[in-house]
């Protein structure tokens, strides 16, 4: 008996603060797709009894099958970040063997991703759909915490890419595929082709949570850059400014 009887689905796999909410909303423009949220993020289940949460974490493939079967007439997908399940390797490999598609979402500018992660943790504002919203707050980030978070992001990215090295997947990166609205049509078509679907017009109401430059919102920005340079992260700093210029 096959674990999944209906058409295989897909996973948006990677790390947070890479544009996954934007990509999810673009993909959901297609009438034949339903892309779910982070179904193994504990915050997604805060209203469920603890015993139910324990079951879905202990039996992840059963839970994915259950979610998949709810959307019988659509291709079902969900977001999965590297750190959200301690058996992520088994989940990815098992679903790949069942012909599920893997969309690997990454961010090239890991220092910008680090700033976004730390500010998101402080504000708990991860999504913005209000065109009139303007963030005027300023933030002090501990340089040591910036370094630790940057190291953690790079470690998780290296792990994800090691896991996927022998697995067929579609790679999407924020800087070249999502950061500019002019890219969305091409990116959507690329994803739909990967999922064996005809392209459709894509749209999204997701906006940047903060449009300011990091230098304008982080009070000790220069201190952080100097700290990273002095601790052997000159390449990450150079990459950061490279993508600021290009974008």
């Amino acid at each position: 008996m096959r674990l999944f009887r209906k058409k295989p689905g897909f996973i948006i796999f990677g790390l947070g603060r890479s544009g996954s909410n934007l990509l999810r909303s673009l993909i959901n423009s297609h009438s034949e797709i339903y892309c779910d949220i982070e179904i193994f993020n504990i915050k997604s289940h805060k209203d469920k009894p603890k015993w139910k949460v324990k079951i879905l974490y202990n039996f992840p493939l059963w839970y994915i099958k259950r979610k998949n079967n709810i959307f019988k007439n659509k291709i079902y997908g969900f977001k999965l970040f590297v750190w959200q399940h301690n058996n992520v390797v088994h989940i990815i490999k098992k679903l790949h063997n069942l012909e599920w598609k893997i969309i690997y979402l990454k961010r090239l500018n890991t220092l910008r991703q680090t700033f976004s992660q730390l500010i998101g943790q402080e504000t708990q504002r991860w999504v913005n759909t209000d065109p009139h919203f303007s963030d005027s707050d300023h933030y002090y980030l501990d340089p040591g915490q910036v370094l630790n978070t940057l190291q953690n992001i790079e470690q998780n990215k290296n792990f994800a890419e090691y896991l996927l090295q022998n697995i067929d997947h579609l790679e999407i990166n924020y800087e070249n595929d999502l950061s500019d609205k002019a890219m969305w049509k091409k990116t959507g078509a690329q994803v739909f082709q990967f999922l064996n679907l005809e392209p459709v017009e894509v749209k999204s109401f997701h906006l940047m949570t903060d449009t300011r430059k990091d230098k304008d919102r982080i009070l000790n920005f220069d201190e952080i850059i100097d700290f990273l340079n002095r601790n052997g992260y000159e390449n990450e700093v150079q990459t950061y400014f490279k993508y600021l210029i290009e974008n």
Side-chain angles (χ1 to χ4, degrees):
M1 181 181 295
R2 291 192 62 184
L3 180 63
F4 295 91
R5 292 182 178 277
K6 67 185 287 284
K7 183 181 291 187
F10 65 93
I11 306 169
I12 297 177
F13 179 61
L15 282 72
R17 313 316 294 157
S18 299
S20 63
N21 286 311
L22 172 57
L23 180 59
R24 173 179 178 258
S25 65
L26 293 176
I27 291 174
N28 277 335
S29 299
H30 204 295
S31 62
E32 296 181 47
I33 290 177
Y34 179 74
C35 184
D36 213 338
I37 57 174
E38 302 159 35
I39 63 173
F40 291 107
N41 186 340
I42 194 69
K43 293 180 181 179
S44 302
H45 306 288
K46 60 184 179 181
D47 298 326
K48 290 186 174 70
K50 289 184 178 179
W51 64 269
K52 282 190 175 181
V53 176
K54 187 175 181 180
I55 288 175
L56 69 88
Y57 274 88
N58 286 341
F59 302 97
L61 294 174
W62 169 84
Y63 181 59
I64 295 167
K65 174 187 175 182
R66 181 173 175 272
K67 297 283 288 185
N68 190 38
N69 288 339
I70 291 173
F71 300 93
K72 294 181 178 179
N73 299 319
K74 294 179 181 285
I75 296 177
Y76 174 76
F78 64 93
K79 300 194 320 182
L80 175 64
F81 295 157
V82 173
W83 49 267
Q84 288 179 337
H85 200 286
N86 57 14
N87 211 3
V88 67
V89 173
H90 175 70
I91 293 172
I92 292 292
K93 288 186 175 181
K94 182 65 176 179
L95 292 181
H96 176 256
N97 289 338
L98 292 168
E99 298 180 351
W100 279 53
K101 303 279 189 171
I102 312 297
I103 301 170
Y104 174 47
L105 178 62
K106 64 187 291 186
R107 194 159 181 169
L108 303 176
N109 193 340
T110 52
L111 181 52
R112 190 89 195 271
Q113 186 176 12
T114 299
F115 289 146
S116 180
Q117 178 70 30
L118 289 172
I119 292 174
Q121 288 173 354
E122 182 171 333
T123 63
Q124 288 300 301
R125 186 171 55 252
W126 304 103
V127 176
N128 177 30
T129 57
D130 181 1
H132 304 294
F133 174 79
S134 177
D135 191 350
S136 58
D137 291 337
H138 292 85
Y139 310 96
Y140 175 87
L141 303 180
D142 177 75
Q145 188 179 15
V146 171
L147 177 56
N148 289 338
T149 304
L150 176 60
Q151 290 172 334
N152 186 55
I153 287 174
E154 292 191 334
Q155 182 180 7
N156 281 331
K157 183 165 72 170
N158 290 338
F159 171 78
E161 293 180 358
Y162 175 79
L163 172 58
L164 295 176
Q165 62 182 347
N166 295 315
I167 292 177
D168 181 48
H169 62 278
L170 172 66
E171 182 174 305
I172 300 289
N173 73 70
Y174 176 79
E175 286 79 5
N176 296 327
D177 300 313
L178 294 172
S179 62
D180 188 333
K181 190 174 182 179
M183 306 167 176
W184 293 358
K185 180 178 180 180
K186 180 180 178 181
T187 300
Q190 190 177 11
V191 172
F192 298 143
Q193 181 180 23
F194 183 64
L195 299 177
N196 299 315
L197 293 172
E198 292 295 320
V200 299
E201 181 181 354
V202 296
K203 60 182 179 180
S204 175
F205 296 105
H206 285 265
L207 305 166
M208 293 181 67
T209 53
D210 193 337
T211 58
R212 294 174 295 171
K213 296 179 180 179
D214 293 322
K215 188 177 180 65
D216 295 331
R217 62 177 179 161
I218 299 173
L219 295 170
N220 59 327
F221 177 83
D222 291 334
E223 176 192 2
I224 292 169
I225 296 301
D226 180 62
F227 179 82
L228 293 173
N229 279 326
R230 287 188 288 105
N231 282 274
Y233 282 79
E234 299 94 337
N235 288 340
E236 286 74 11
V237 170
Q238 290 174 7
T239 299
Y240 172 85
F241 286 109
K242 170 180 178 286
Y243 283 109
L244 284 190
I245 294 171
E246 291 182 358
N247 290 282

